[in-house]
């Protein structure tokens, strides 16, 4: 071997050892590069999947909302058919034009009573569908029958249409409520939703959409067929998947980014080259490691912040639950696992050492009397998925009974298990309070009955007024009969009808004691000044009658009336207050033996009415002019009868508003007369004459029918009104047709309210009226007392009727802004209503300032020109939909 060869053999191992650190560094660097490259690819993949997921969520949500929104529109048809089973095609088309206006994906809506299509909208292009019998159509028979059997909405699709395109078909059951309360299956309503429009509205056809989507139908959790939207190859590309529930079908969405999951080459090789260059720099690994460490610390800091926020929220929730003493529970319907927190165990007084409870523990704690019902309600909530809400009793370990109120809702957990989560709380004190109130009411009713019985006995046995000592109405009737039997030589007589002015103001402001003094004062003055031998009687609250005796036929009763007015107007003092009233007097004279004294009394009453109309505190004598006015009244009466025949009477509507939210909570239907020559007339122009004709009940019936119609129209248009109220007269209360009408319609209890007119009095024998009012209540109608504070309504009335609402007369509301005493009076009325559980409605709300004052006083409902005037039916929907009342009252709201 030569020297050169020997040198090379010695240098070989030295050379390999020299490059060994570099080789090791190269291997380490390569491992780092591969690891970082994998991390970057994984991060990009996660970001890309997150982006695809967000886009797919948006598409799925819009598509689901579009389908469900159009289903809700069609449910308006279903609601209309349930209340109008005999709907005509014209009415059906009108509803369709209103409900399905605008560019909607609903291609047509067909109604099939007894599974035969007889109504369709739109008709154009769908004429061939009319007469189609679903039970004889093999393609649609099973789906139609399934709607009837399940009683629930069924959605089928996609379905390829004969006229082109694909659609989703939603089928709804229509069930009518028969008069006997039973449900009757009327038929089905089918709506065809154009899938292409749904795709477009949901963004699936957008040009700038950067994902590819495929949709397929799932049955029993498995794909039924190939995707009906998108390319089937998407399913093989590890797509992002989501599912929506439509009726009883599931749709599975799959999405991948356009161009696939593989990022562009520039995104791959750029970082790789950069890592390769950094690998030759010694400090590069340290810088990279520092950056990774800094990023990690930043994420850890954010995570710690989120944990602190979660802990704070958890502590707040814990404090709230402890303060409210509400227990939380959760039940897994699949595994049977029941989870209770500590408050739940305290509520049920359970001692569980390991803290674990089961369904049997809840069942054993239930009171035997509530066991079957409570288990059935809980099972029904699990089966139907509806909200769980109930109340039951539990028995504690010491034998004590607690009343528990429970609410809950169902959901599906992450593993697909149906679960029920809810809360319990102790309402024992509330139940005991309600029982005490019921007992107190029973005692009060017994006492009131005893008082009423005693009053009737005393009234039937007395001919004189207990307060003034004067003869009363019964005594007057006896005298009238005696006068009619007197000989013709005593035909001439004079009748004076006296009514006190401003008496009600004193009685309401200073109390009944002051009112009684006024009445005694008036009676004393009358007894002092009337001619000797004349008959003097108190026939009502503040009304008196004087009938002349034959011995005083030549007396100047006009001069006497003037002296009576002057005497009655003399002031008297009560508890430091000066009390002064006036009087109005009507005088009528009988000059012919043919005239009965009852007619003379009527003539005197007409003259009294004229005196009050001309300003009160004056005297009027019955004349031919007044007789002419009676003739005019007769003419008006004839026109009223003709108006009833010609359907001239109608209803105007004035909305009522929640005092706190200013949202519409009701409508009052007001009678109006569309007179052919005088235009729209208010009740004041005809009501009194209609009462004398005994046709008020017919007008009330017209108003009731129109009120129910407008309530239905508003509900069908998507603007539900909680209740509508109508005035009811004494005539209408005694009309059996009213009760037959109410028994023949289906209305939600509390959605119809009757306002008792001020002409209805409960001061006499009112047992029959009270009985009729209780019949209205039993049918689900509410009772309201109208014009409270105007004279006819009293505390006794509240005790007798226990109405749902009390309406404060506008005469008490209008002066609120200028009178603190008036505010105190209204506040007292509101407090009285609250003590009896009665809602308070204020009439005459004329300004925004009235709204604020009444709201502060605690009034519940507002009604007046400041919010809305009475309006014709045609104006009502626009007013409600445009919320016009908020324009002038927005500052208060």
């Amino acid at each position: 071997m030569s020297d050169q060869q020997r040198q090379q053999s010695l240098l070989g191992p030295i050379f390999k050892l020299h490059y060994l650190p570099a080789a090791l560094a190269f291997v380490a660097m390569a491992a780092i590069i591969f690891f970082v490259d994998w991390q970057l690819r994984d991060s990009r993949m996660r970001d890309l999947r997150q982006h695809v997921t967000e886009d797919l969520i948006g598409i799925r949500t819009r598509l689901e909302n579009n389908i469900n929104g159009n289903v809700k529109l069609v449910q308006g048809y279903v609601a209309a058919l349930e209340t109008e089973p005999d709907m005509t095609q014209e009415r059906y088309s009108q509803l369709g034009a209103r409900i399905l206006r605008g560019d909607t994906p609903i291609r047509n809506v067909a109604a099939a009573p007894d599974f035969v299509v007889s109504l369709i909208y739109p008709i154009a292009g769908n004429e061939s569908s009319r007469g189609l019998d679903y039970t004889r159509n093999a393609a649609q028979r099973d789906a139609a029958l399934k709607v009837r059997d399940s009683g629930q909405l069924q959605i089928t699709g996609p379905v390829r249409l004969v006229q082109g395109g694909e659609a989703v078909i939603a089928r709804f059951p229509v069930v009518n409520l028969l008069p006997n309360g039973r449900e009757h299956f009327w038929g089905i309503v089918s709506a065809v939703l154009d899938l292409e429009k749904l795709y477009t509205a949901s963004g699936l056809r957008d040009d700038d959409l950067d994902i590819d989507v495929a949709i397929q139908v799932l049955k029993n959790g498995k794909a039924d067929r190939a995707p009906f939207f998108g390319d089937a190859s998407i399913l093989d590309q590890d797509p992002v998947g989501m599912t929506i529930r439509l009726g009883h079908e599931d749709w599975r969405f799959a999405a991948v980014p356009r161009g696939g999951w593989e990022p562009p080459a520039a995104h791959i090789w750029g970082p790789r080259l950069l890592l390769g260059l950094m690998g030759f720099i010694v400090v590069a690994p340290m810088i990279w490691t520092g950056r990774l460490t800094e990023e990690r610390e930043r994420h850890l800091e954010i995570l710690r912040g989120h944990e602190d926020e979660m802990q704070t929220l958890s502590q707040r929730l814990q404090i709230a639950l402890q303060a409210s003493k509400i227990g939380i529970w959760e039940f897994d319907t699949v595994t049977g696992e029941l989870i209770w927190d500590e408050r739940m165990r305290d509520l049920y007084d359970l001692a569980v050492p390991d803290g674990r409870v089961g369904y049997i523990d809840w069942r054993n704690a239930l009171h035997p009397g509530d066991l079957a019902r409570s288990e059935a309600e809980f099972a029904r909530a699990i089966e139907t998925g509806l909200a769980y809400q109930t109340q039951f009793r539990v028995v504690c370990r010491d034998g004590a009974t607690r009343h528990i109120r429970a609410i809950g809702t169902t959901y599906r957990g992450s593993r697909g298990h149906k679960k029920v989560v809810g809360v319990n709380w102790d309402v024992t004190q509330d139940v005991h309070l309600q029982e005490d109130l019921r007992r107190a009411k029973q005692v009060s009713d017994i006492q009131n009955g005893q008082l009423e019985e005693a009053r009737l006995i005393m009234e039937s046995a007395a001919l004189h007024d207990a307060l003034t000592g004067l003869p009363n109405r019964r005594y007057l009737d006896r005298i009238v009969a005696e006068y009619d039997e007197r000989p013709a030589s005593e035909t001439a007589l004079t009748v004076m009808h006296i009514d006190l002015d401003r008496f009600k103001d004193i009685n309401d402001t200073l109390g009944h004691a002051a009112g009684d003094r006024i009445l005694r004062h008036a009676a004393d003055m009358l007894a002092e000044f009337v001619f000797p031998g004349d008959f003097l009687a108190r026939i009502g609250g503040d009304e008196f009658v004087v009938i002349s005796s034959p011995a005083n036929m030549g007396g100047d009763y006009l001069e006497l009336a003037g002296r009576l007015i002057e005497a009655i107007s003399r002031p008297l003092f009560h508890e430091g207050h000066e009390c002064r009233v006036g009087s109005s007097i009507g005088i009528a004279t009988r000059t012919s033996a043919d005239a009965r004294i009852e007619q003379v009394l009527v003539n005197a009453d007409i003259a009294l009415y004229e005196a009050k109309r001309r300003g009160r505190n004056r005297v009027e004598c019955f004349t031919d002019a007044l007789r002419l006015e009676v003739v005019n009244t007769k003419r008006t009466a004839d026109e009223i009868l003709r108006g009833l025949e010609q359907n001239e009477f109608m209803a105007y509507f004035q909305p009522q508003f929640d005092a706190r939210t200013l949202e519409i909570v009701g409508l009052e239907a007001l009678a109006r007369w569309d007179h052919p020559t005088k235009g729209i007339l208010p009740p004041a122009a005809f009501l009194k004459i209609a009462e004398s004709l005994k046709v008020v009940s017919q007008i009330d019936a017209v108003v009731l029918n129109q009120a129910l119609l407008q309530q239905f129209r508003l509900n069908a248009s998507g603007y539900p009104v909680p209740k509508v109220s109508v005035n009811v007269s004494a005539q209408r209360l005694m009309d059996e047709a009213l009760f037959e009408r109410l028994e023949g319609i289906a209305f939600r209890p509390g959605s119809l309210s009757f306002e008792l007119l001020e002409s209805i009095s409960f001061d006499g024998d009112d047992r029959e009226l009270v009985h009729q009012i209780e019949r209205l209540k039993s049918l689900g109608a509410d009772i309201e007392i109208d014009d409270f504070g105007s004279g006819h309504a009293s505390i006794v009335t509240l005790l007798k009727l226990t109405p749902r609402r009390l309406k404060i007369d506008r005469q008490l509301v209008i002066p609120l802004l200028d009178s603190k005493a008036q505010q105190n009076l209204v506040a007292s009325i509101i407090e009285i209503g609250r003590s009896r559980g009665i809602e308070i409605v204020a009439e005459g709300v004329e300004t925004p300032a009235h709204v604020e004052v009444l709201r502060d006083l605690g009034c519940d409902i507002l009604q007046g020109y400041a919010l809305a005037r009475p309006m014709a039916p045609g104006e009502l929907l626009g007013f409600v939909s445009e919320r016009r009342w908020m324009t002038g009252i927005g500052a208060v709201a």
Side-chain angles (χ1 to χ4, degrees):
M1 178 180 298
S2 64
D3 294 337
Q4 184 178 1
Q5 290 177 337
R6 214 169 22 251
Q7 185 178 4
Q8 290 178 351
S9 63
L10 292 173
L11 289 174
I14 296 175
F15 178 79
K16 292 178 181 180
L17 291 173
H18 177 74
Y19 282 99
L20 181 59
L24 294 174
F26 175 80
V27 171
M29 199 64 200
I32 293 173
I33 290 173
F34 281 121
F35 175 77
V36 173
D37 180 69
W38 177 81
Q39 287 282 349
L40 290 174
R41 287 171 61 86
D42 184 70
S43 177
R44 290 193 188 96
M45 182 62 70
R46 286 197 304 270
D47 292 342
L48 191 56
R49 292 190 74 90
Q50 178 65 27
H51 176 70
V52 172
T53 300
E54 292 173 353
D55 287 352
L56 186 57
I57 288 174
I59 290 172
R60 182 197 68 173
T61 301
R62 289 192 294 271
L63 180 59
E64 185 177 16
N65 290 342
N66 286 333
I67 293 176
N68 290 335
N70 285 281
V71 166
K72 292 294 184 181
L73 285 177
V74 178
Q75 285 177 340
Y77 257 128
V78 176
L81 286 170
E82 287 179 343
T83 57
E84 298 182 53
D86 299 326
M87 183 180 295
T88 63
Q89 178 63 53
E90 180 183 0
R91 168 67 173 154
Y92 192 84
S93 298
Q94 289 175 353
L95 283 177
R98 182 186 305 170
I99 296 175
L100 307 180
R101 58 177 178 261
D103 186 16
T104 173
I106 300 177
R107 299 185 67 162
N108 64 72
V109 180
D114 295 327
F115 297 106
V116 178
V117 176
S118 61
L119 302 173
I120 193 164
Y121 178 83
I123 298 177
N126 297 291
E127 294 84 353
S128 61
S129 297
R130 299 183 70 173
L132 174 63
D133 189 342
Y134 288 144
T135 61
R136 298 183 179 181
N137 187 301
Q140 302 194 48
R141 182 192 303 113
D142 293 340
L145 294 178
K146 189 174 182 180
V147 173
R148 181 197 64 187
D149 296 338
S150 65
Q152 297 179 353
L153 164 69
Q154 301 289 332
I155 297 179
T156 306
V159 176
R160 187 167 298 278
L161 302 176
V162 176
Q163 55 268 46
E166 291 183 322
V168 173
I169 300 178
R171 297 180 175 90
F172 306 77
V174 180
V175 179
N176 300 127
L177 188 63
L178 299 177
N180 60 8
R182 299 184 60 185
E183 293 183 345
H184 167 67
F185 179 77
W186 179 86
I188 66 173
V189 171
S190 300
V192 178
L193 309 181
D194 192 318
L195 267 181
E196 189 57 35
K197 287 189 177 181
L198 291 174
Y199 294 155
T200 302
S202 303
L204 284 168
R205 297 300 191 190
D206 291 351
D207 295 333
D208 57 350
L209 186 65
D210 54 6
I211 63 173
D212 292 325
V213 180
I215 309 175
Q216 62 182 161
V217 178
L218 298 182
K219 289 190 177 179
N220 299 323
K222 296 182 180 180
D224 183 49
R225 55 181 181 270
F228 61 86
F229 179 87
D231 194 342
S233 63
I234 294 175
L235 304 176
D236 300 326
Q237 301 179 36
D238 188 24
V240 174
M242 294 180 184
T243 303
I244 63 172
R245 184 75 172 178
L246 296 175
H248 290 271
E249 288 187 353
D250 292 327
W251 286 9
R252 180 176 181 269
F253 289 71
V256 298
R258 289 186 176 174
W261 295 108
E262 194 66 26
H267 292 174
I268 298 175
W269 287 103
R272 289 178 179 175
L273 292 175
L274 181 61
L275 288 173
L277 291 174
M278 292 179 64
F280 291 96
I281 304 173
V282 176
V283 75
M286 291 185 293
I287 296 176
W288 180 251
T289 302
R291 291 185 61 185
L292 291 178
T293 302
E294 180 184 4
E295 187 72 12
R296 179 175 176 275
E297 288 298 327
R298 186 174 66 85
H299 285 296
L300 288 175
E301 186 64 27
I302 293 174
L303 181 60
R304 283 192 292 268
H306 289 168
E307 291 176 348
D308 290 340
E309 292 177 0
M310 289 296 296
Q311 187 174 7
T312 300
L313 292 175
S314 177
Q315 289 296 326
R316 292 175 180 174
L317 177 60
Q318 188 71 13
I319 292 173
L321 291 175
Q322 289 177 351
S324 61
K325 299 181 180 179
I326 293 177
I328 300 177
W329 55 271
E330 183 178 71
F331 180 68
D332 190 325
T333 62
V334 177
T335 64
E337 180 183 6
L338 180 63
I339 300 176
W340 280 7
D341 66 0
E342 183 178 353
R343 285 174 294 275
M344 283 290 295
R345 294 192 291 271
D346 292 340
L347 284 175
Y348 285 78
D349 193 22
L350 289 183
V352 185
D354 58 357
R356 300 182 63 182
V357 296
Y359 179 86
I360 191 64
D361 295 309
W362 174 73
R363 186 182 186 279
N364 291 338
L366 291 175
H367 190 281
D370 296 344
L371 177 60
R373 175 182 59 82
S374 300
E375 284 197 302
E377 290 176 345
F378 188 65
R380 184 163 56 251
I382 295 174
E383 179 181 357
T384 62
L386 298 176
Y388 173 61
Q389 185 170 355
T390 186
Q391 184 172 317
F392 47 78
R393 294 168 293 173
V394 298
V395 181
C396 302
R397 285 179 291 175
D398 61 356
T401 300
R402 290 179 181 172
H403 294 262
I404 303 297
R405 186 166 296 161
I407 60 173
T409 183
T410 60
Y411 73 100
R412 290 198 177 273
S414 58
R415 294 186 296 173
H417 290 188
K418 178 185 283 188
K419 296 184 177 181
V420 186
V421 63
V423 295
N424 282 186
W425 69 95
D426 189 350
V427 294
T428 304
Q429 292 183 352
D430 295 342
V431 172
H432 290 167
L433 178 60
Q434 292 175 3
E435 292 175 350
D436 293 339
L437 291 175
R438 281 195 294 270
R439 286 192 292 270
K441 180 180 180 301
Q442 291 174 354
V443 173
S444 176
D445 290 342
I446 293 173
Q447 293 174 347
N448 292 334
Q450 293 172 346
L451 290 174
E452 181 67 12
E453 183 179 357
R455 186 184 71 82
L456 292 175
I457 294 173
M458 294 175 62
E459 182 181 13
S460 64
L463 290 175
H464 287 78
D465 176 43
L467 178 64
T468 64
L470 296 177
N472 57 14
R473 167 70 74 174
R474 293 183 179 87
Y475 204 157
L476 174 64
D477 293 339
R478 178 181 296 180
I479 293 297
V480 168
E482 293 176 358
Y483 267 79
D484 284 333
E485 296 174 357
R486 290 185 177 182
S489 60
E490 301 179 359
T491 57
L493 62 84
T494 299
V495 173
M496 292 197 303
H497 195 162
I498 303 104
D499 184 85
L500 302 184
D501 300 327
R502 299 184 301 278
F503 170 75
K504 181 178 180 300
D505 297 338
I506 293 177
N507 204 42
D508 289 344
T509 56
L510 299 181
H512 292 290
D516 292 345
R517 286 202 60 189
I518 290 292
L519 291 173
R520 287 193 293 268
H521 166 72
D524 293 341
M525 293 297 99
L526 290 171
E528 178 181 348
F529 283 93
V530 297
F531 296 132
D534 287 353
F535 177 78
L536 170 64
R538 180 190 175 201
I539 63 171
D542 57 353
E543 295 184 57
F544 300 85
V545 165
V546 175
I547 301 178
S548 67
S549 69
N552 298 321
M553 286 188 296
D556 188 350
Y557 281 91
L558 184 60
E559 186 272 338
L560 172 61
R563 288 189 288 120
L564 289 177
I565 290 176
E566 180 181 357
I568 292 174
S569 63
R570 295 173 185 173
L572 58 87
F573 290 87
H574 175 76
E575 296 181 354
H577 296 279
E578 182 182 82
C579 302
R580 187 192 298 270
V581 296
S583 58
S584 298
I585 302 178
I587 301 177
T589 301
R590 184 176 75 169
T591 58
S592 171
D594 296 333
R596 295 182 61 82
I597 191 171
E598 290 90 343
Q599 184 59 48
V600 181
L601 287 168
V602 171
N603 294 344
D605 185 58
I606 293 174
L608 172 63
Y609 177 79
E610 182 67 11
K612 284 185 170 292
R613 190 181 68 82
R614 293 192 176 188
R616 303 175 183 268
N617 208 39
R618 59 184 290 129
V619 182
E620 289 292 335
C621 294
F622 184 79
T623 63
D624 292 337
L626 288 180
R627 192 182 305 277
L628 179 60
E629 184 175 340
V630 173
V631 173
N632 292 333
T633 299
K634 175 63 169 61
R635 182 183 300 111
T636 302
D638 294 338
E639 291 178 348
I640 288 174
L641 296 176
R642 178 195 51 78
L644 286 170
E645 295 176 354
Q646 301 297 325
N647 296 322
E648 293 174 0
F649 287 90
M650 60 186 297
Y652 266 42
F653 297 90
Q654 187 172 26
Q656 298 172 331
F657 302 83
D658 186 282
R660 296 163 186 80
T661 65
L662 294 185
E663 293 296 328
I664 294 179
V665 296
L667 295 174
E668 181 181 4
L670 304 169
R672 294 291 187 270
W673 183 8
D674 189 5
H675 195 280
T677 60
K678 299 178 183 178
I680 302 297
L681 300 180
F686 60 85
L687 188 58
K688 186 173 182 180
I689 299 176
E691 287 178 346
S692 66
L693 294 173
K694 299 189 182 302
V695 297
V696 175
S697 60
Q698 299 179 39
I699 298 175
D700 289 347
V702 172
V703 174
L704 174 60
N705 291 336
Q706 295 190 17
L708 293 174
L709 175 61
Q710 289 303 318
Q711 186 181 37
F712 171 77
R713 286 179 175 174
L714 287 174
N715 292 343
S717 300
Y719 302 99
V721 176
K723 65 100 179 174
V724 61
S725 60
V726 296
N727 292 313
V728 62
S729 62
Q731 293 179 16
R732 184 62 166 163
L733 277 176
M734 305 307 295
D735 186 1
E736 282 300 317
L738 170 63
F739 298 92
E740 294 174 0
R741 169 66 172 149
L742 294 179
E743 291 170 354
I745 60 176
F747 65 95
R748 178 175 51 81
S751 63
L752 178 61
S753 183
F754 288 92
E755 295 184 14
L756 304 183
L757 290 175
E758 61 179 337
S759 59
I760 301 176
S761 174
F762 295 90
D763 294 331
D765 189 0
D766 53 12
R767 287 174 292 183
E768 184 63 23
L769 285 175
V770 173
H771 172 69
Q772 297 296 87
I773 291 172
E774 292 300 324
R775 288 182 63 188
L776 288 179
K777 290 182 181 180
S778 67
L779 292 174
D782 286 344
I783 297 299
E784 300 180 14
I785 294 182
D786 197 9
D787 298 329
F788 187 84
S790 65
H792 79 284
S794 64
I795 301 300
V796 175
T797 306
L798 295 183
L799 295 176
K800 288 180 180 179
L801 303 183
T802 59
R804 183 69 179 83
R805 296 174 193 86
L806 190 70
K807 300 189 73 173
I808 303 177
D809 187 73
R810 65 193 313 275
Q811 299 179 39
L812 301 180
V813 173
I814 291 176
L816 276 179
L817 304 181
D818 302 320
S819 173
K820 184 65 176 179
Q822 201 74 7
Q823 293 183 18
N824 293 336
L825 176 60
V826 172
S828 299
I829 295 176
I830 293 174
E831 186 60 32
I832 291 172
R834 282 182 177 173
S835 68
R836 303 294 299 179
I838 302 172
E839 293 182 354
I840 302 299
V841 182
E843 297 181 300
V845 181
E846 304 291 342
T847 66
H850 280 96
V851 175
E852 292 185 357
V853 171
L854 289 165
R855 178 187 292 165
D856 294 338
L857 291 177
C859 188
D860 301 302
I861 300 173
L862 306 179
Q863 179 178 348
Y865 283 10
L867 297 163
R869 293 174 176 266
M871 62 193 70
E875 303 171 0
L876 187 58
L877 180 58
F879 178 86
V880 175
S881 62
E882 297 171 12
R883 298 176 65 84
R884 295 175 189 167
W885 68 91
M886 298 303 294
T887 303
I889 207 74
V892 178

